[in-house]
């Protein structure tokens, strides 16, 4: 049986969003740069990516993650959707030094950005100018995802990375991870349009923790 990748990614996302939901979070006391409540309140979904990026001159990135959408945004029955698993990989060319294990949250600011993740594959393409040193342990930048232009990216890096390069990465639906997590075939269109059933929420309490953390941030908007 395949390792439950989506479960592990949800656990990581729940840990990160716990810092977002802390009312008195500050740069001096956390390893993450919290997403402002107003930014999350205006969003239509969130993509969580967990990856390793390493190289010199030419870099390689590989990782996993998932996307969740806001269903019935602004209505009384608003909720977060079931997660749909993603895999990511890419290359960068330029002056690049170091290795980085990082977590990235991409805020989807428009319905079009959210809808783009119901497709089989999306490409991230853009120049980066990033600096992380393993001491500050946080880095913020803007994402450039082809087909999902209205996004904002928050990256939390625990390694060492410094460079200016051109990154190109593909985000692909991880069908096998979805099947392992849900116990059945499930498409992104189905998952992002529905709340996970009670059996899944009971089996994976970390998922409910993630939703609760996000809702706590929204309550402060």
């Amino acid at each position: 049986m395949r390792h439950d990748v989506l479960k592990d990614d949800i656990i990581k996302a729940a840990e990160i969003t716990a810092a977002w939901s802390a009312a008195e979070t500050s740069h001096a006391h956390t390893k993450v740069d919290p997403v402002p409540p107003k930014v999350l309140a205006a969003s239509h979904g969130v993509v969580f990516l967990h990856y390793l990026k390493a190289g010199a001159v030419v870099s390689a990135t590989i990782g996993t993650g998932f996307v969740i959408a806001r269903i019935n945004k602004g209505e009384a029955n608003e909720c977060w959707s079931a997660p749909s698993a993603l895999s990511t990989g890419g290359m960068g060319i330029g002056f690049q030094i170091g290795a980085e294990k990082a977590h990235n949250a991409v805020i989807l600011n428009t319905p079009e950005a959210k809808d783009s993740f119901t497709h089989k594959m999306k490409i991230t393409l853009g120049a980066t100018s990033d600096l992380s040193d393993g001491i500050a342990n946080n880095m913020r930048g803007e994402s450039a995802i082809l087909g999902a232009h209205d996004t904002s990216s928050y990256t939390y890096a625990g390694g060492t990375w410094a460079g200016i390069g051109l990154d190109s990465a593909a985000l692909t639906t991880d069908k096998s991870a979805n099947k392992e997590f849900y116990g059945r075939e499930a498409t992104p269109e189905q998952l992002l349009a529905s709340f996970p059933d009670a059996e899944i929420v009971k089996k994976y309490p970390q998922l409910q923790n993630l939703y609760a953390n996000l809702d706590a941030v929204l309550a402060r908007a």
Side-chain angles (χ1 to χ4, degrees):
M1 181 178 293
R2 185 188 183 210
H3 179 64
D4 199 333
V5 176
L6 183 51
K7 175 185 176 181
D8 289 347
D9 285 345
I10 290 171
I11 291 173
K12 295 171 188 174
E15 292 174 350
I16 289 172
T17 55
W20 297 1
S21 64
E24 298 181 0
T25 298
S26 68
H27 291 287
H29 298 92
T30 182
K31 292 184 178 181
V32 301
D33 183 10
V35 173
K38 289 184 178 180
V39 172
L40 188 63
S43 74
H44 291 264
V46 184
V47 175
F48 293 95
L49 300 174
H50 313 288
Y51 57 87
L52 178 65
K53 184 175 182 179
V57 182
V58 176
S59 66
T61 301
I62 187 169
T64 58
F66 63 93
V67 56
I68 56 174
R70 291 174 72 180
I71 301 174
N72 302 322
K73 180 182 175 182
E75 300 179 15
N77 61 341
E78 177 182 341
C79 64
W80 295 96
S81 76
S84 179
L86 300 169
S87 61
T88 181
M91 299 293 291
I93 300 175
F95 173 68
Q96 318 229 12
I97 301 173
E100 165 182 80
K101 186 176 183 180
H103 310 284
N104 186 274
V106 180
I107 307 301
L108 307 180
N109 299 327
T110 66
E112 293 78 17
K114 177 190 73 174
D115 292 343
S116 71
F117 283 90
T118 64
H119 297 287
K120 183 177 180 180
M121 179 179 291
K122 283 296 163 184
I123 304 297
T124 298
L125 182 65
T128 62
S129 180
D130 303 328
L131 178 64
S132 64
D133 58 14
I135 298 175
N137 270 306
N138 66 73
M139 179 175 62
R140 175 179 173 179
E142 295 298 317
S143 69
I145 301 179
L146 186 64
H149 306 292
D150 296 329
T151 64
S152 300
S153 180
Y154 298 79
T155 304
Y156 317 120
T160 299
W161 186 262
I164 300 175
L166 181 63
D167 286 343
S168 177
L171 294 178
T172 309
T173 297
D174 191 333
K175 295 180 180 179
S176 60
N178 279 338
K179 185 174 182 180
E180 176 66 26
F181 187 80
Y182 293 103
R184 59 179 174 82
E185 299 285 350
T187 67
E189 290 88 346
Q190 294 170 332
L191 296 173
L192 298 181
S194 62
F195 185 79
D197 59 44
E199 182 180 349
I200 290 295
V201 174
K202 182 178 180 180
K203 183 178 180 180
Y204 301 104
Q206 302 88 353
L207 187 57
Q208 191 60 51
N209 293 340
L210 172 62
Y211 295 149
N213 292 340
L214 293 172
D215 287 341
V217 177
L218 292 176
R220 302 206 313 272

